[in-house]
């Protein structure tokens, strides 16, 4: 039996659990977070951050989430550069930082949106007054209201990876993890140029991969941002810059999602659950299988399930 092991962040593991919602098993081993049994492989996520893929398509399925790496090599790479750190300064909340976050990675329909935003310490009181906080505590209406206020207050960069381009990159073998790394680095670079000659105290990325893996994804790229780069899970609660970035990214995703629903003539569903499969089947019947490339991330398991429902 083919086995592949990934080392993932808690956020990625939760995204996996949501993505494989329809395949979840009730039997979870000690220390486990979820077990998903797909037709081609079984996936077990652990609290330790390890995710085990077992079965014929283990390597193929794992590649959707990142590259396998042994703990020793990952640890060695992570400690090779002091500027690339996941150890946060004790006063990080009071610093002037560029924060970055992404939205849409676990949604079958809709694009991936990545935002980097600069929150200087002088702007912290204003951002709090405008309601900036962890976007998970906000509904879509609140997200839009706050985003429309803060986009006029802080420097930011928004990058939208539309479905056609996403599918093209994925078909060429690029993992979602690498796409995210490239977009985060690009957005951060844009903001650095916008605020120049100001220099932030650092950069905080909402962690979706180990630092060593993140920088490995960027290998060979020009203008890799490496100085004073920090990583943290649940970074929206760590610094206002990431909370602001997340709100703007979510705002953009909502707007793009609404546009796609109008184009499709259907009310598209967020997430990757059973209701999404049904809507995707309707989309196939209305516009043909080829339309999935415009509206969805076609490598998700939802594609085959939608085809079965639509009987194509």
């Amino acid at each position: 039996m083919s086995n592949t092991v990934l080392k993932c962040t808690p956020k990625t593991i939760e995204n996996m659990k949501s993505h494989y919602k329809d395949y979840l098993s009730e039997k979870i081993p000690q220390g486990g977070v979820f077990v998903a049994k797909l037709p081609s492989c079984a996936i077990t996520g652990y609290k330790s951050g390890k995710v085990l893929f077992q079965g014929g398509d283990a390597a193929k399925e794992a590649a959707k989430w990142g590259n396998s790496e042994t703990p020793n090599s990952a640890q060695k790479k992570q400690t090779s550069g002091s500027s690339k750190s996941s150890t946060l300064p004790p006063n990080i909340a009071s610093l002037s930082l560029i924060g970055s976050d992404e939205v849409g990675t676990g949604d079958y329909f809709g694009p991936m949106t990545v935002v980097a935003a600069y929150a200087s310490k002088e702007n912290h009181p204003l951002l709090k007054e405008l309601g900036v906080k962890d976007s998970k505590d906000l509904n879509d209406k609140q997200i839009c209201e706050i985003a429309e206020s803060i986009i006029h207050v802080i420097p930011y960069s928004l990058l939208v990876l539309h479905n056609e381009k996403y599918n093209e990159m994925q078909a060429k073998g690029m993992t979602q993890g690498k796409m995210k790394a490239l977009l985060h680095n690009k957005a951060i670079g844009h903001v650095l140029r916008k605020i120049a000659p100001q220099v932030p105290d650092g950069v905080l990325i909402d962690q979706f991969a180990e630092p060593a893996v993140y920088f490995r994804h960027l290998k060979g790229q020009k203008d890799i941002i490496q100085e004073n780069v920090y990583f943290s899970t649940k970074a929206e609660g760590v610094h206002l810059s990431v909370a602001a970035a997340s709100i703007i990214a979510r705002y953009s995703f909502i707007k793009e999602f609404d546009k796609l629903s109008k184009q499709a003539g259907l009310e598209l569903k967020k997430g990757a659950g059973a209701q999404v499969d049904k809507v995707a089947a309707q989309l196939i019947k209305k516009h043909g299988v080829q339309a999935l490339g415009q509206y969805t991330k076609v490598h998700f398991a939802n594609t085959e399930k939608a085809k079965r429902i639509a009987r194509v």
Side-chain angles (χ1 to χ4, degrees), residues 12-23:
T12 298
I13 290 176
E14 284 303 315
N15 285 342
M16 286 183 179
K17 184 177 179 181
S18 175
H19 177 64
Y20 296 117
K21 180 180 178 181
D22 295 334
Y23 299 100

Side-chain angles (χ1 to χ4, degrees), residues 19-311:
H19 177 64
Y20 296 117
K21 180 180 178 181
D22 295 334
Y23 299 100
L24 295 180
S25 170
E26 294 181 0
K27 295 182 179 180
I28 301 174
Q30 185 174 1
V33 177
F34 75 90
V35 173
K37 294 187 177 180
L38 282 66
S40 57
C41 70
I43 306 166
T44 306
Y46 294 92
K47 293 177 183 178
S48 65
K50 290 184 179 180
V51 181
L52 173 63
F53 294 77
Q54 297 173 291
D57 285 347
K60 181 179 177 182
E61 195 66 30
K64 297 177 182 179
W65 300 96
N67 297 319
S68 59
E69 181 170 15
T70 62
N72 287 340
S73 63
Q75 184 178 13
K76 190 178 295 183
K77 290 181 182 179
Q78 184 171 340
T79 58
S80 64
S82 59
S83 63
K84 308 168 187 178
S85 175
S86 57
T87 303
L88 305 180
N91 63 333
I92 191 166
S94 63
L95 299 178
S96 297
L97 296 183
I98 293 175
S100 66
D101 200 1
E102 83 285 332
V103 171
T105 58
D107 293 273
Y108 181 58
F109 288 111
M112 183 192 303
T113 59
V114 175
V115 170
Y118 177 55
S120 66
K121 56 187 176 184
E122 292 80 12
N123 267 343
H124 289 184
L126 176 58
L127 291 176
K128 290 178 182 177
E129 182 67 25
L130 292 174
V132 174
K133 59 181 178 179
D134 191 332
S135 66
K136 296 179 184 64
D137 298 327
L138 302 168
N139 59 40
D140 285 357
K141 182 181 178 182
Q142 291 170 318
I143 289 283
C144 292
E145 290 174 351
I146 296 170
E148 288 170 2
S149 297
I150 64 176
I151 57 176
H152 304 294
V153 172
I154 58 173
Y156 72 95
S157 173
L158 164 67
L159 299 176
V160 180
L161 183 59
H162 294 285
N163 295 105
E164 296 95 334
K165 185 64 176 177
Y166 176 99
N167 292 321
E168 178 186 330
M169 295 166 73
Q170 195 278 331
K172 290 180 179 178
M174 187 177 293
T175 65
Q176 191 182 85
K178 182 163 185 173
M179 293 181 207
K180 288 192 282 188
L182 293 172
L183 291 170
H184 275 263
N185 185 69
K186 186 175 182 180
I188 292 164
H190 286 171
V191 176
L192 281 170
R193 288 188 286 275
K194 281 185 178 182
I195 67 174
Q198 280 183 280
V199 178
D201 295 322
V203 173
L204 178 61
I205 298 172
D206 190 57
Q207 188 171 347
F208 56 87
E210 293 299 316
V213 175
Y214 173 84
F215 286 106
R216 188 177 68 200
H217 285 322
L218 299 179
K219 188 176 181 180
Q221 299 296 311
K222 294 181 179 179
D223 302 321
I224 299 175
I225 313 304
Q226 302 182 69
E227 293 303 315
N228 299 318
V229 175
Y230 304 102
F231 299 83
S232 175
T233 57
K234 300 180 180 179
E236 293 174 66
V238 174
H239 198 274
L240 286 167
S241 61
V242 182
S246 179
I247 287 170
I248 298 171
R250 186 72 190 173
Y251 170 71
S252 173
F253 180 79
I254 292 167
K255 294 298 182 184
E256 294 292 337
F257 204 91
D258 288 346
K259 285 181 190 176
L260 285 176
S261 290
K262 289 178 182 178
Q263 290 172 13
L266 295 168
E267 185 181 346
L268 304 181
K269 299 287 185 182
K270 297 182 178 71
Q275 290 302 312
V276 170
D277 301 335
K278 294 177 182 178
V279 175
Q282 293 174 27
L283 182 70
I284 291 172
K285 291 178 179 178
K286 188 177 178 73
H287 298 291
V289 176
Q290 70 280 358
L292 293 178
Q294 178 184 350
Y295 296 94
T296 75
K297 301 174 183 70
V298 293
H299 68 99
F300 278 30
N302 304 82
T303 295
E304 294 307 316
K305 289 187 283 184
K307 286 180 180 179
R308 288 197 293 270
I309 294 171
R311 296 182 180 178

